[in-house]
Amino acid sequence: ARDLAGARAVVLACGVNQQPGETRLQLLGRNAAVFRAVVPEVVRAAPDAVLIVVSNPVDILTSVTLEASGLPAARVIGSGTTLDTARFRALLADHLRVAPQSVHAYVVGEHGDSEVLLWSSAAVGGLPLDAAAAGLGRPLAAADRERIDDAVRRAAYRIIAGKGATYYGVAGAVARLLRAIRDDERAVLTVSAVGQPGTPYGDVALSLPRVVGAGGIEAELLPPLADDEAAALERSAGILREALASLTRP
C-alpha cells in the first residue's frame, strides 16, 4: 500500500487472461470477483488516483470498479477501444497510403465483438472519408470496408491464437492514456467509462470519444451517427447491460 501512496493514476491489470477461443464476456465472473476484492484496497491506499482498468471484459470491469470504488465516474477509466481505434486508423491509412496521424476515425461501444466502427464520421486531412479516398484515387469498396472491419474486430482473437496474449498492443494504449493524465493533455481518446447521469449511456461503461486530462475524463463527445451505427451502438450497450445484470451481486 505504501507504494501507491500519492499516486495520480493506478493501472488495474489484475485477474486472469483471456484463453484461446474464449470471449471477453466469458471472463466476467472470475475477474469481477478479483476486482471487488482489490479495488477498495487500492482506493484506501491512493484515494486521489485515477483508476485505469485494463483487464477484460474491460467495459464490465469498469462498471464493477466504479461501483466498488465509490469514486466519481470521471476517475474510473477503462482502456476501452483505444487500441481498436488505433487499428482502424492504421488500416484506413494503409489502404489510402497516408500517415495514420492524418486519419480521424473512431471505434465505439464494447471492446469486443459488438464494437462499432464509425465509418460515417471518418475523415482524412479534414475531408470526409469517401471524398478523401476518391481524391487519393483509393476508393473504398464494400469488400475493403468488410476486410478492415473484420481485421479490427477479430484482431485480438488472431493474436491470442498466435502468441497467447495481446499485451504489447494494450500496453501501448495504456501508456498513451497515462501520458494524457500525467501531462494534462486533454486528449480525445476512445476510453470506456460510465456516462454522466441523464446521458444515453449513463448506466453502463462503454467507449466513446472522451477528453482525458489530469483529473480523468473532462468531457464526453458523441459523434454524429448514421442510423445503422446508432442501432449497432445501442445493441452493443444492450449486450453490456445484460452481462452486467448477470453478475451475482456481492
Side-chain angles (χ1 to χ4, degrees), residues 104-115:
H104 285 82
Y106 297 115
V107 178
V108 298
E110 177 202 0
H111 173 52
D113 297 341
S114 74
E115 65 190 23

Side-chain angles (χ1 to χ4, degrees), residues 94-119:
D94 183 65
H95 177 87
L96 297 171
R97 296 177 184 168
V98 300
Q101 297 92 325
S102 297
V103 178
H104 285 82
Y106 297 115
V107 178
V108 298
E110 177 202 0
H111 173 52
D113 297 341
S114 74
E115 65 190 23
V116 184
L117 281 64
L118 297 186
W119 291 94

Side-chain angles (χ1 to χ4, degrees), residues 1 37-47:
V38 169
V39 168
E41 298 300 320
V42 170
V43 173
R44 270 192 281 276

Side-chain angles (χ1 to χ4, degrees), residues 24 83-84 87-88 90-92 107 115 117 119 143-159:
R24 292 181 179 98
L83 185 54
D84 309 87
R87 287 175 177 141
F88 187 23
L91 288 163
L92 282 174
V107 178
E115 65 190 23
L117 281 64
W119 291 94
D144 297 314
R145 291 176 184 248
E146 186 174 338
R147 170 181 55 81
I148 291 171
D149 184 287
D150 181 71
V152 172
R153 197 179 302 277
R154 305 294 298 174
Y157 293 108
R158 293 191 183 96
I159 294 167

